[in-house]
Amino acid sequence: MTTQRSRTRAFLPAMAMAAVAGAAACGDETQAPMVDAAFADIDYIIMEQMENVLTRNGVRAGLVISDSSYIYEDSSTAQLFGVQMTLYSESGVEESHLTAERGWLNERTDELTALGNVVLTTSGRRIETAELHYDPVRDQISSDSSTISIQNGNRTRATCGFDSDLEFRNFNLCGPVGDIPTRGGGDG
């Protein structure tokens, strides 16, 4: 898969320094604050409303949207905040949707690690976990964190996560502890 970035607005950390320096130049005799030396050598771009289109053989396979992102210049990895990912079938039909508080996206391989209140919904199943790994090269979605799987109104907790192929044909819970009564009787 290859990744394309579109519809982004970039902000450089130096803009904040320029604003402070500009205010100091307006007649104020005090010295402008300096950037902490620990942050002076970090090269990154802050993106707002970033979208990454995931493709397989030239066909859209997924879309990753983040509220904001840090793109590091010396790496192919982006740190994401407010993550949403939608995966599509080969015919372009939406197959699953993921939300998470934050995550990491490898823009070369399209691997995504979603962190914090991760919720993945797919046809007939809802998965809730603290951490989820999406690996399109290995055709795998997995977690090694405690997971709740909700299917047909039944909630099953897995103490050590799950693994599955991307189509959820081979879905395996690790350390299932049985059904948990549902609240309201729905699929979650």
Side-chain angles (χ1 to χ4, degrees):
M1 288 191 196
T2 59
T3 304
Q4 300 171 344
R5 205 174 308 138
S6 63
R7 294 183 3 169
T8 56
R9 291 184 281 172
F11 300 94
L12 299 175
M15 294 175 108
M17 289 177 43
V20 170
C26 293
D28 191 354
E29 297 297 324
T30 62
Q31 177 129 5
M34 300 301 291
V35 173
D36 186 341
F39 297 105
D41 292 334
I42 297 176
D43 293 328
Y44 63 89
I45 299 171
I46 300 173
M47 307 290 266
E48 186 178 278
Q49 296 297 318
M50 185 175 87
E51 294 184 7
N52 287 69
V53 176
L54 312 176
T55 61
R56 182 179 300 134
N57 300 324
V59 177
R60 181 177 70 168
L63 178 64
V64 177
I65 300 172
S66 60
D67 294 337
S68 60
S69 307
Y70 290 166
I71 310 296
Y72 298 94
E73 289 185 16
D74 63 348
S75 167
S76 64
T77 302
Q79 185 177 10
L80 312 175
F81 301 93
V83 180
Q84 295 184 48
M85 179 172 75
T86 304
L87 297 176
Y88 302 96
S89 69
E90 290 181 10
S91 62
V93 176
E94 183 177 324
E95 288 187 324
S96 57
H97 185 75
L98 174 141
T99 59
E101 292 174 359
R102 62 194 184 286
W104 295 91
L105 176 67
N106 183 316
E107 293 183 294
R108 274 189 234 143
T109 64
D110 292 336
E111 291 177 67
L112 174 77
T113 298
L115 303 163
N117 294 315
V118 180
V119 176
L120 175 68
T121 55
T122 188
S123 61
R125 185 182 307 268
R126 176 183 169 104
I127 298 167
E128 301 171 356
T129 188
E131 181 174 336
L132 183 138
H133 305 278
Y134 165 75
D135 187 345
V137 174
R138 292 179 38 206
D139 188 40
Q140 185 177 43
I141 293 180
S142 63
S143 176
D144 55 9
S145 299
S146 179
T147 300
I148 294 177
S149 173
I150 305 167
Q151 186 175 22
N152 300 324
N154 298 316
R155 297 168 61 95
T156 304
R157 184 169 63 90
T159 57
C160 52
F162 77 97
D163 63 75
S164 176
D165 62 305
L166 297 181
E167 289 78 33
F168 287 89
R169 290 183 302 240
N170 298 308
F171 181 81
N172 300 300
L173 291 171
C174 175
V177 293
D179 290 342
I180 301 169
T182 60
R183 293 180 287 232
D187 282 343

